[in-house]
Amino acid sequence: MKFSTCGDIDDQDQEVVRAEHAFVTIGSRTSSRCFSIIKRDVSHNKERVVILGSGWAGYGFARTLDPAKYERIVISPRSYFVFTPLLASTSVGTLEFRTILEPVRRLPGKIGFYQGWADNIDFDRKTVRVETNATEEAASKTVVPGPQGELPKPKGDMITISYDKLVIACGAYSQTFGIEGVREHAHFLRDIGDARRIRLRVLSLFEQCAYPRGADKLSDADKRQLLHFAVVGGGPTGIEFAAELHDLIRDDLAPIYPDLMPLVSITVYDVAPKVLPMFDRALAKYAMDTFARHGIRVKTEHHLQRLRLADGDLGHRHGALKIKIKEYGDNEVGAGLVVWSTGLMANPLISKLVSRTLGARPPGRNPLSGAPTPPARRLVRDARTGGLVTDPFLRARTTTDIQSAESNPNGVLDDVFVIGDCAVLESDRNLPKTAQVASQQATYLAKRLNGASSVAEKPFSFRNWGTLTYLGSWKAIHQSKADELRGWVAWVVWRGAYLTKNRTLIVSIR
């Protein structure tokens, strides 16, 4: 890789893509820095595959793609893969953070990596514009877009990376539904930095409430608010975090802080009539009965309207929060920690991409060949989820109706593929946004590009291996087409399934 500062570039052996200008404001001055990104050494004759994202889809694809056939370049704001099903376990100390991380640069074979956000894509020139971002805080913390899709982060330098094939696996963001105060005060659980902050916050709350009576100004009512842990979202992530938190408090913190146990409470809030909607009614009821025995309250059909700091020192000094719930009128619920897990929203990059017009040329004929110029196109977006629509082979769908990004597709981009949470398969638009789907899409696409005969001409087909959720106290539920399990046996399946998938944890145990 070479960088040039707006001068002439020797390109006898290497191909220069183009120069990009990054404007940086310092005080009242604005300076311009010009970076030229060299495409690659063309002597090895490998196609370059650029992969946007290092999650289940992006990382899984990069790991399976044959490095002997392709030059792999991963672009992601984080330099590692997170085994997200065990993220809740790390947030309470059941597992250490390093056991669920796999660095991108340690993938077998030579692999390129650039830490940053994909800012835009020029499909006609086959280039990706990347905003560099190697700061630790931004790389490990969940970033939630604002009401207009803006990202609350400092602007980095811009670089440009060329590609022969592009795999868009940039995932999705946490959905806040525009509720006031959620972005500022809630904790999310999508990255390792989120888990670390939650663990520190839980321990800090217990320490704040452990001082002798009279040594601080906290009453029992104040401590009861600080030791109320609210989980918003009744899906597997929210339920598993509540279960793991219960185990931490019962097994580890109760012997240390016995006087505080009567003040501790955990509540799960959800707007739906029942939690865990992907499970049948019997298993969901078993989960709720288990939570009831644990003392975990589940409040369904509750609509949160606002989240704010509590008044006075309780909020500004101790970080207590007030939750406004529609069903409670003007009465607000106090909490020391709010963990938000209410679903996903489309990546802001997707909105930017669908607004672009591809191959825009004046109507007429090619002056050299006399053939008609191809019509302008744009990517197709799913109206319900905001994701990019793909054909059965996971290629990005396009439409010639440039007035609407949600029109019926009538074309594809042959060298652009979309997988993971940002993809919507046109033949099955109701596929869940889960690690299982993303992983299978990644494996399918990599094998297809590798030339595997087993998938060469076959469209992608999702095979549901079932759903697992941990409920605490070594109990879980499992549901698949073949069977339904509950209790300790389901917990063994839950832990065993994740253990076999997590390479870092296997190496740690060895």
Side-chain angles (χ1 to χ4, degrees):
M1 183 63 63
K2 293 183 180 179
F3 291 91
S4 173
T5 55
C6 298
D8 295 331
I9 303 172
D10 183 5
D11 59 355
Q12 289 182 340
D13 298 324
Q14 298 188 353
E15 179 184 352
V16 178
V17 179
R18 61 176 179 171
E20 291 291 342
H21 295 267
F23 295 94
V24 181
T25 302
I26 306 175
S28 59
R29 295 184 305 160
T30 301
S31 62
S32 174
R33 287 180 288 178
C34 180
F35 297 96
S36 293
I37 304 303
I38 308 303
K39 184 179 180 183
R40 65 178 182 274
D41 184 353
V42 298
S43 60
H44 53 52
N45 294 322
K46 292 181 184 178
E47 281 191 301
R48 170 179 282 186
V49 180
V50 171
I51 306 152
L52 305 184
S54 59
W56 280 93
Y59 183 81
F61 173 80
R63 184 172 59 191
T64 311
L65 190 66
D66 188 355
K69 293 184 178 182
Y70 297 99
E71 178 190 6
R72 301 169 299 168
I73 301 291
V74 177
I75 297 171
S76 175
R78 65 187 188 193
S79 61
Y80 50 85
F81 162 76
V82 179
F83 195 87
T84 50
L86 295 178
L87 199 55
S89 297
T90 66
S91 69
V92 298
T94 304
L95 296 174
E96 284 304 316
F97 300 118
R98 62 184 176 84
T99 61
I100 66 168
L101 300 180
E102 296 183 25
V104 173
R105 293 185 182 275
R106 291 186 182 177
L107 282 172
K110 186 178 180 181
I111 188 166
F113 174 76
Y114 299 102
Q115 187 165 331
W117 311 80
D119 182 70
N120 214 332
I121 301 172
D122 190 329
F123 295 103
D124 297 320
R125 297 184 180 182
K126 288 193 169 184
T127 58
V128 180
R129 185 179 175 90
V130 180
E131 180 187 338
T132 61
N133 180 18
T135 61
E136 180 181 356
E137 175 72 4
S140 63
K141 179 182 178 181
T142 293
V143 178
V144 182
Q148 305 302 321
E150 71 277 8
L151 294 176
K153 57 186 179 64
K155 298 293 287 185
D157 295 328
M158 293 293 180
I159 61 176
T160 300
I161 309 296
S162 66
Y163 68 85
D164 296 307
K165 296 184 186 298
L166 177 66
V167 177
I168 302 175
C170 55
Y173 284 83
S174 295
Q175 177 65 273
T176 66
F177 303 100
I179 297 175
E180 179 185 346
V182 172
R183 291 175 61 207
E184 295 81 5
H185 304 302
H187 283 70
F188 300 89
L189 191 54
R190 291 178 55 81
D191 207 339
I192 199 68
D194 301 328
R196 183 180 292 110
R197 275 178 285 274
I198 289 174
R199 184 194 293 191
L200 293 175
R201 178 60 178 167
V202 170
L203 297 178
S204 172
L205 287 169
F206 275 89
E207 288 297 339
Q208 290 181 55
C209 297
Y211 292 111
R213 291 183 181 274
D216 56 28
K217 298 180 180 179
L218 292 177
S219 65
D220 283 352
D222 294 335
K223 293 179 181 181
R224 187 171 282 106
Q225 289 190 53
L226 289 173
L227 295 178
H228 176 214
F229 302 95
V231 181
V232 184
T237 301
I239 294 298
E240 288 189 349
F241 172 75
E244 293 277 10
L245 181 61
H246 162 265
D247 288 354
L248 170 69
I249 294 172
R250 183 200 62 184
D251 298 336
D252 299 318
L253 300 183
I256 302 174
Y257 308 98
D259 295 339
L260 297 180
M261 289 304 106
L263 306 176
V264 177
S265 61
I266 303 173
T267 308
V268 178
Y269 296 96
D270 198 274
V271 298
K274 77 180 186 77
V275 297
L276 298 175
M278 66 289 301
F279 289 92
D280 64 28
R281 186 173 297 276
L283 287 178
K285 184 179 184 302
Y286 174 82
M288 295 306 93
D289 292 342
T290 302
F291 268 26
R293 288 193 296 270
H294 293 340
I296 301 174
R297 296 174 296 188
V298 177
K299 304 290 186 180
T300 57
E301 297 181 290
H302 278 57
H303 300 76
L304 276 69
Q305 296 180 316
R306 185 181 65 211
L307 186 64
R308 67 174 181 89
L309 279 176
D311 298 328
D313 285 348
L314 191 62
H316 297 288
R317 183 178 176 183
H318 298 281
L321 301 171
K322 289 290 186 178
I323 309 170
K324 181 175 175 55
I325 300 175
K326 178 181 177 181
E327 286 71 20
Y328 296 167
D330 293 332
N331 295 324
E332 294 178 305
V333 177
L337 173 71
V338 175
V339 175
W340 195 269
S341 177
T342 58
L344 303 174
M345 64 178 292
N347 192 306
L349 173 65
I350 303 303
S351 297
K352 188 177 293 187
L353 296 182
V354 297
S355 66
R356 293 183 61 94
T357 301
L358 314 179
R361 299 181 180 89
R365 293 184 175 274
N366 189 310
L368 298 179
S369 64
T373 57
R377 299 178 293 167
R378 75 186 328 168
L379 295 174
V380 179
R381 178 180 57 196
D382 179 64
R384 183 175 64 88
T385 65
L388 292 177
V389 177
T390 72
D391 73 349
F393 299 98
L394 304 181
R395 297 174 297 184
R397 274 295 202 178
T398 62
T399 178
T400 53
D401 182 1
I402 62 174
Q403 301 302 318
S404 174
E406 298 166 358
S407 302
N408 292 326
N410 50 25
V412 296
L413 291 179
D414 289 324
D415 294 325
V416 178
F417 305 88
V418 191
I419 56 178
D421 290 344
C422 62
V424 178
L425 193 67
E426 66 177 355
S427 57
D428 188 357
R429 299 201 179 202
N430 294 319
L431 278 180
K433 305 298 183 184
T434 62
Q436 190 177 166
V437 173
S439 180
Q440 290 187 30
Q441 289 179 336
T443 301
Y444 163 84
L445 181 59
K447 287 183 176 180
R448 190 164 184 268
L449 293 184
N450 289 342
S453 59
S454 59
V455 297
E457 300 300 328
K458 295 180 180 179
F460 171 76
S461 178
F462 172 61
R463 184 174 182 179
N464 191 344
W465 292 102
T467 305
L468 291 159
T469 298
Y470 179 58
L471 303 177
S473 299
W474 293 17
K475 292 182 176 66
I477 53 176
H478 170 260
Q479 178 176 301
S480 67
K481 292 182 178 179
D483 55 28
E484 293 182 358
L485 301 174
R486 65 184 70 183
W488 183 81
V489 174
W491 177 85
V492 172
V493 173
W494 177 76
R495 275 293 195 228
Y498 290 157
L499 177 61
T500 57
K501 290 286 187 180
N502 189 349
R503 298 186 178 190
T504 303
L505 188 56
I506 293 174
V507 172
S508 300
I509 292 174
R510 288 177 181 173

